[in-house]
Amino acid sequence: MTQTTLRQHLQSQKADTDLMILMEDIATACRMIADRVRHGAIAGVLGAAETENVQGETQKELDVISDEIFQEVVGANPTVAALVSEEVDEVNWRKEAPQAGDFIVYYDPLDGSSNLDVNLSVGTIFSIVRLENAIEPSAEAVQIKGTAQIAAGYAIYGPSTGLVITVGQGVDGFTHHPGSGEFLLTSGAMSIPPQTQEFAINASRYDLWDAPVRSYIDDCLRGADGPRGKKFNMRWCASMVADVHRILTRGGVFLYPKDSGNAGQGGKLRLMYEANPMGMLVEQARGASSTGTGRIMEVVPTGHHQRVSVILGSREEVAVIEGYYAK
Ligand code: AHM
Ligand code: MG
């Protein structure tokens, strides 16, 4: 094998041993989830589970299976103090007395799971914070700002299984090689072009959007003769992992803003499982991430299931959108 493996890559980035082992455990969990997703229709687990998550959303059977896999594999790592999952109400404390150096792992085990029925890409998103001090386990103890993340990433379960990570030294993409079982480096130093002519938004929410988002999209749709002076393309996968993967690959902006339909909850996407990790990845790839009025990773969490307005991608375009909010 001539290509760089995940471990070789992390060694070259001088990641410390504990972080390297944790990243490898996460990669193992993602490989196992990929396998279950791939066999989902045959195993008959694509449908709804008979449960709702804490946010009142119907869980898919694979949401539950993926969460169990993540808990079993990553939760067994002796440096993990807590697992915080989109699918689980309470923080899953793995240590009674977390110490400095231990990790908190935030994750969405199967993001975009409404796409399972139609065999489109889904993924697993994760974020890692390392404790600087010993702490007492409590719900408040995991409410840590995104700027404290030391690593983040996602696995994408598409035509191939990919793993995209950052440990704070840029963003690198790996592809699972079934023959060896390894994730091999296939897209080193991913970088988002600063400008774009492509946006991603669920346009069926047009009537719910705030004025800045409406004006921005209206102006994009007016094309070369409009105020933006260029024609825009649109994409929407309804799978944040797939949309962000496209943006990391060829640029673009992704918007899931707070609107009148989700304002009561603060938005649709979750700060700690979706917005913060994707925000870190995008910024590490020279893009930008914003709520419209400020940097996502600066949002002070008040609950681990908190939701937030998300605008991220090509940095000059994100700045343009912030300009619409500022008007
Ligand atoms: P989920 O975590 O319940 O799967 O929800 C998050 C997903 C994102 O992947 C995607 O961007 C968004 O929800 C799609 O929402 P919508 O169906 O409103 O377009
Ligand atoms: Mg999700």
Side-chain angles (χ1 to χ4, degrees), residues 57 86 108 110-113 202 236 238-240 254 256 268-270 274:
E57 298 158 336
E86 179 181 308
D108 180 355
L110 202 55
D111 183 63
S113 52
N202 182 344
W236 184 249
S239 170
M240 189 187 198
F254 169 96
Y256 212 124
K268 153 104 188 193
L269 299 177
R270 292 72 170 182
E274 295 165 332

PDB file of all heavy atoms in Angstrom, residues 57 86 108 110-113 202 236 238-240 254 256 268-270 274, ligand 1:
ATOM      1  N   GLU A  57     -38.171  14.131  17.668  1.00  0.00           N
ATOM      2  CA  GLU A  57     -38.119  13.655  16.290  1.00  0.00           C
ATOM      3  C   GLU A  57     -38.162  12.133  16.300  1.00  0.00           C
ATOM      4  O   GLU A  57     -37.542  11.499  17.149  1.00  0.00           O
ATOM      5  CB  GLU A  57     -36.816  14.115  15.625  1.00  0.00           C
ATOM      6  CG  GLU A  57     -36.695  15.618  15.538  1.00  0.00           C
ATOM      7  CD  GLU A  57     -35.253  16.080  15.395  1.00  0.00           C
ATOM      8  OE1 GLU A  57     -34.335  15.349  15.788  1.00  0.00           O
ATOM      9  OE2 GLU A  57     -35.058  17.191  14.900  1.00  0.00           O
ATOM     10  N   GLU A  86     -26.503  13.555  19.899  1.00  0.00           N
ATOM     11  CA  GLU A  86     -27.759  14.171  19.455  1.00  0.00           C
ATOM     12  C   GLU A  86     -28.956  13.277  19.771  1.00  0.00           C
ATOM     13  O   GLU A  86     -30.064  13.759  19.986  1.00  0.00           O
ATOM     14  CB  GLU A  86     -27.695  14.425  17.934  1.00  0.00           C
ATOM     15  CG  GLU A  86     -28.973  15.034  17.403  1.00  0.00           C
ATOM     16  CD  GLU A  86     -28.945  15.283  15.901  1.00  0.00           C
ATOM     17  OE1 GLU A  86     -27.988  15.921  15.431  1.00  0.00           O
ATOM     18  OE2 GLU A  86     -29.872  14.844  15.213  1.00  0.00           O
ATOM     19  N   ASP A 108     -23.196  13.371  16.276  1.00  0.00           N
ATOM     20  CA  ASP A 108     -24.485  13.042  15.668  1.00  0.00           C
ATOM     21  C   ASP A 108     -24.228  11.721  14.950  1.00  0.00           C
ATOM     22  O   ASP A 108     -23.543  11.688  13.928  1.00  0.00           O
ATOM     23  CB  ASP A 108     -24.906  14.139  14.681  1.00  0.00           C
ATOM     24  CG  ASP A 108     -26.242  13.837  14.012  1.00  0.00           C
ATOM     25  OD1 ASP A 108     -26.788  12.741  14.249  1.00  0.00           O
ATOM     26  OD2 ASP A 108     -26.723  14.695  13.256  1.00  0.00           O
ATOM     27  N   LEU A 110     -25.917   9.616  13.110  1.00  0.00           N
ATOM     28  CA  LEU A 110     -26.343   9.416  11.713  1.00  0.00           C
ATOM     29  C   LEU A 110     -27.101  10.652  11.257  1.00  0.00           C
ATOM     30  O   LEU A 110     -28.322  10.744  11.425  1.00  0.00           O
ATOM     31  CB  LEU A 110     -27.208   8.156  11.597  1.00  0.00           C
ATOM     32  CG  LEU A 110     -27.273   7.551  10.198  1.00  0.00           C
ATOM     33  CD1 LEU A 110     -25.889   7.247   9.646  1.00  0.00           C
ATOM     34  CD2 LEU A 110     -28.115   6.309  10.192  1.00  0.00           C
ATOM     35  N   ASP A 111     -26.361  11.582  10.716  1.00  0.00           N
ATOM     36  CA  ASP A 111     -26.974  12.836  10.288  1.00  0.00           C
ATOM     37  C   ASP A 111     -27.607  12.682   8.900  1.00  0.00           C
ATOM     38  O   ASP A 111     -27.050  12.008   8.032  1.00  0.00           O
ATOM     39  CB  ASP A 111     -25.917  13.943  10.235  1.00  0.00           C
ATOM     40  CG  ASP A 111     -26.543  15.262   9.857  1.00  0.00           C
ATOM     41  OD1 ASP A 111     -27.393  15.738  10.629  1.00  0.00           O
ATOM     42  OD2 ASP A 111     -26.218  15.791   8.782  1.00  0.00           O
ATOM     43  N   GLY A 112     -28.757  13.323   8.738  1.00  0.00           N
ATOM     44  CA  GLY A 112     -29.439  13.276   7.440  1.00  0.00           C
ATOM     45  C   GLY A 112     -30.211  11.983   7.255  1.00  0.00           C
ATOM     46  O   GLY A 112     -30.448  11.547   6.126  1.00  0.00           O
ATOM     47  N   SER A 113     -30.641  11.383   8.367  1.00  0.00           N
ATOM     48  CA  SER A 113     -31.190  10.026   8.282  1.00  0.00           C
ATOM     49  C   SER A 113     -32.522   9.966   7.528  1.00  0.00           C
ATOM     50  O   SER A 113     -32.965   8.886   7.151  1.00  0.00           O
ATOM     51  CB  SER A 113     -31.296   9.368   9.663  1.00  0.00           C
ATOM     52  OG  SER A 113     -31.980  10.208  10.551  1.00  0.00           O
ATOM     53  N   ASN A 202     -32.810  25.112   1.953  1.00  0.00           N
ATOM     54  CA  ASN A 202     -34.117  24.506   1.715  1.00  0.00           C
ATOM     55  C   ASN A 202     -35.097  25.615   1.360  1.00  0.00           C
ATOM     56  O   ASN A 202     -35.666  26.269   2.232  1.00  0.00           O
ATOM     57  CB  ASN A 202     -34.575  23.738   2.964  1.00  0.00           C
ATOM     58  CG  ASN A 202     -35.913  23.050   2.746  1.00  0.00           C
ATOM     59  OD1 ASN A 202     -36.638  23.363   1.803  1.00  0.00           O
ATOM     60  ND2 ASN A 202     -36.256  22.132   3.628  1.00  0.00           N
ATOM     61  N   TRP A 236     -29.258  21.236  -2.825  1.00  0.00           N
ATOM     62  CA  TRP A 236     -29.722  20.953  -1.450  1.00  0.00           C
ATOM     63  C   TRP A 236     -29.864  19.447  -1.305  1.00  0.00           C
ATOM     64  O   TRP A 236     -30.717  18.826  -1.944  1.00  0.00           O
ATOM     65  CB  TRP A 236     -31.059  21.652  -1.149  1.00  0.00           C
ATOM     66  CG  TRP A 236     -31.516  21.452   0.282  1.00  0.00           C
ATOM     67  CD1 TRP A 236     -32.580  20.725   0.722  1.00  0.00           C
ATOM     68  CD2 TRP A 236     -30.898  21.992   1.449  1.00  0.00           C
ATOM     69  NE1 TRP A 236     -32.666  20.769   2.094  1.00  0.00           N
ATOM     70  CE2 TRP A 236     -31.642  21.544   2.572  1.00  0.00           C
ATOM     71  CE3 TRP A 236     -29.780  22.808   1.682  1.00  0.00           C
ATOM     72  CZ2 TRP A 236     -31.314  21.890   3.881  1.00  0.00           C
ATOM     73  CZ3 TRP A 236     -29.458  23.147   2.990  1.00  0.00           C
ATOM     74  CH2 TRP A 236     -30.223  22.691   4.066  1.00  0.00           C
ATOM     75  N   ALA A 238     -30.334  17.921   1.724  1.00  0.00           N
ATOM     76  CA  ALA A 238     -31.038  17.589   2.976  1.00  0.00           C
ATOM     77  C   ALA A 238     -30.208  16.648   3.829  1.00  0.00           C
ATOM     78  O   ALA A 238     -30.731  15.867   4.623  1.00  0.00           O
ATOM     79  CB  ALA A 238     -32.433  17.019   2.716  1.00  0.00           C
ATOM     80  N   SER A 239     -28.900  16.720   3.633  1.00  0.00           N
ATOM     81  CA  SER A 239     -27.946  15.933   4.420  1.00  0.00           C
ATOM     82  C   SER A 239     -26.744  16.850   4.600  1.00  0.00           C
ATOM     83  O   SER A 239     -26.009  17.114   3.647  1.00  0.00           O
ATOM     84  CB  SER A 239     -27.551  14.680   3.629  1.00  0.00           C
ATOM     85  OG  SER A 239     -26.471  14.029   4.245  1.00  0.00           O
ATOM     86  N   MET A 240     -26.610  17.390   5.814  1.00  0.00           N
ATOM     87  CA  MET A 240     -25.582  18.414   6.022  1.00  0.00           C
ATOM     88  C   MET A 240     -24.196  17.896   5.659  1.00  0.00           C
ATOM     89  O   MET A 240     -23.366  18.622   5.098  1.00  0.00           O
ATOM     90  CB  MET A 240     -25.603  18.868   7.477  1.00  0.00           C
ATOM     91  CG  MET A 240     -24.728  20.075   7.728  1.00  0.00           C
ATOM     92  SD  MET A 240     -24.623  20.449   9.471  1.00  0.00           S
ATOM     93  CE  MET A 240     -24.050  22.137   9.400  1.00  0.00           C
ATOM     94  N   PHE A 254     -23.715  27.200   2.514  1.00  0.00           N
ATOM     95  CA  PHE A 254     -24.802  26.393   3.063  1.00  0.00           C
ATOM     96  C   PHE A 254     -25.524  27.263   4.078  1.00  0.00           C
ATOM     97  O   PHE A 254     -24.873  27.885   4.931  1.00  0.00           O
ATOM     98  CB  PHE A 254     -24.195  25.157   3.751  1.00  0.00           C
ATOM     99  CG  PHE A 254     -25.161  24.357   4.585  1.00  0.00           C
ATOM    100  CD1 PHE A 254     -25.791  23.238   4.057  1.00  0.00           C
ATOM    101  CD2 PHE A 254     -25.419  24.707   5.910  1.00  0.00           C
ATOM    102  CE1 PHE A 254     -26.672  22.492   4.829  1.00  0.00           C
ATOM    103  CE2 PHE A 254     -26.302  23.963   6.690  1.00  0.00           C
ATOM    104  CZ  PHE A 254     -26.923  22.846   6.140  1.00  0.00           C
ATOM    105  N   TYR A 256     -28.767  27.141   6.873  1.00  0.00           N
ATOM    106  CA  TYR A 256     -29.985  26.699   7.561  1.00  0.00           C
ATOM    107  C   TYR A 256     -30.243  27.718   8.653  1.00  0.00           C
ATOM    108  O   TYR A 256     -29.896  27.527   9.809  1.00  0.00           O
ATOM    109  CB  TYR A 256     -29.913  25.272   8.109  1.00  0.00           C
ATOM    110  CG  TYR A 256     -31.310  24.633   8.052  1.00  0.00           C
ATOM    111  CD1 TYR A 256     -31.526  23.444   7.389  1.00  0.00           C
ATOM    112  CD2 TYR A 256     -32.402  25.276   8.620  1.00  0.00           C
ATOM    113  CE1 TYR A 256     -32.807  22.900   7.293  1.00  0.00           C
ATOM    114  CE2 TYR A 256     -33.676  24.743   8.525  1.00  0.00           C
ATOM    115  CZ  TYR A 256     -33.874  23.565   7.854  1.00  0.00           C
ATOM    116  OH  TYR A 256     -35.146  23.047   7.753  1.00  0.00           O
ATOM    117  N   LYS A 268     -32.687  25.081  13.382  1.00  0.00           N
ATOM    118  CA  LYS A 268     -32.923  23.637  13.162  1.00  0.00           C
ATOM    119  C   LYS A 268     -31.709  22.813  13.581  1.00  0.00           C
ATOM    120  O   LYS A 268     -31.819  21.768  14.207  1.00  0.00           O
ATOM    121  CB  LYS A 268     -33.239  23.409  11.680  1.00  0.00           C
ATOM    122  CG  LYS A 268     -32.884  22.042  11.133  1.00  0.00           C
ATOM    123  CD  LYS A 268     -34.070  21.127  10.940  1.00  0.00           C
ATOM    124  CE  LYS A 268     -33.606  19.720  10.579  1.00  0.00           C
ATOM    125  NZ  LYS A 268     -34.610  18.845  10.084  1.00  0.00           N
ATOM    126  N   LEU A 269     -30.527  23.270  13.191  1.00  0.00           N
ATOM    127  CA  LEU A 269     -29.334  22.432  13.389  1.00  0.00           C
ATOM    128  C   LEU A 269     -28.767  22.624  14.791  1.00  0.00           C
ATOM    129  O   LEU A 269     -28.905  23.681  15.400  1.00  0.00           O
ATOM    130  CB  LEU A 269     -28.294  22.751  12.318  1.00  0.00           C
ATOM    131  CG  LEU A 269     -28.779  22.479  10.891  1.00  0.00           C
ATOM    132  CD1 LEU A 269     -27.726  22.887   9.874  1.00  0.00           C
ATOM    133  CD2 LEU A 269     -29.142  21.006  10.712  1.00  0.00           C
ATOM    134  N   ARG A 270     -28.119  21.594  15.271  1.00  0.00           N
ATOM    135  CA  ARG A 270     -27.633  21.609  16.652  1.00  0.00           C
ATOM    136  C   ARG A 270     -26.233  22.195  16.716  1.00  0.00           C
ATOM    137  O   ARG A 270     -25.348  21.862  15.928  1.00  0.00           O
ATOM    138  CB  ARG A 270     -27.601  20.204  17.252  1.00  0.00           C
ATOM    139  CG  ARG A 270     -28.956  19.586  17.470  1.00  0.00           C
ATOM    140  CD  ARG A 270     -29.540  19.211  16.184  1.00  0.00           C
ATOM    141  NE  ARG A 270     -30.751  18.405  16.291  1.00  0.00           N
ATOM    142  CZ  ARG A 270     -31.378  17.943  15.221  1.00  0.00           C
ATOM    143  NH1 ARG A 270     -30.965  18.235  14.002  1.00  0.00           N
ATOM    144  NH2 ARG A 270     -32.436  17.200  15.370  1.00  0.00           N
ATOM    145  N   GLU A 274     -23.484  19.547  15.182  1.00  0.00           N
ATOM    146  CA  GLU A 274     -23.488  19.843  13.744  1.00  0.00           C
ATOM    147  C   GLU A 274     -22.752  21.155  13.456  1.00  0.00           C
ATOM    148  O   GLU A 274     -21.771  21.172  12.702  1.00  0.00           O
ATOM    149  CB  GLU A 274     -24.939  19.895  13.236  1.00  0.00           C
ATOM    150  CG  GLU A 274     -25.589  18.533  13.346  1.00  0.00           C
ATOM    151  CD  GLU A 274     -27.108  18.506  13.210  1.00  0.00           C
ATOM    152  OE1 GLU A 274     -27.779  19.501  13.537  1.00  0.00           O
ATOM    153  OE2 GLU A 274     -27.635  17.473  12.810  1.00  0.00           O
TER     154      GLU A 274
HETATM  155  P1  AHM B   1     -31.014  15.208  11.483  1.00  0.00           P
HETATM  156  O1  AHM B   1     -29.817  15.355  12.390  1.00  0.00           O
HETATM  157  O2  AHM B   1     -32.271  14.900  12.248  1.00  0.00           O
HETATM  158  O3  AHM B   1     -30.758  14.257  10.363  1.00  0.00           O
HETATM  159  O4  AHM B   1     -31.325  16.663  10.861  1.00  0.00           O
HETATM  160  C1  AHM B   1     -30.287  17.404  10.284  1.00  0.00           C
HETATM  161  C2  AHM B   1     -30.451  17.449   8.798  1.00  0.00           C
HETATM  162  C3  AHM B   1     -29.252  18.008   8.087  1.00  0.00           C
HETATM  163  O5  AHM B   1     -28.400  16.966   7.706  1.00  0.00           O
HETATM  164  C4  AHM B   1     -29.855  18.697   6.893  1.00  0.00           C
HETATM  165  O6  AHM B   1     -29.082  19.796   6.471  1.00  0.00           O
HETATM  166  C5  AHM B   1     -31.184  19.157   7.400  1.00  0.00           C
HETATM  167  O7  AHM B   1     -31.518  18.328   8.502  1.00  0.00           O
HETATM  168  C6  AHM B   1     -32.252  19.025   6.363  1.00  0.00           C
HETATM  169  O8  AHM B   1     -33.423  19.587   6.833  1.00  0.00           O
HETATM  170  P2  AHM B   1     -34.700  19.742   5.888  1.00  0.00           P
HETATM  171  O9  AHM B   1     -35.351  18.392   5.829  1.00  0.00           O
HETATM  172  O10 AHM B   1     -35.543  20.765   6.603  1.00  0.00           O
HETATM  173  O11 AHM B   1     -34.252  20.211   4.540  1.00  0.00           O
END
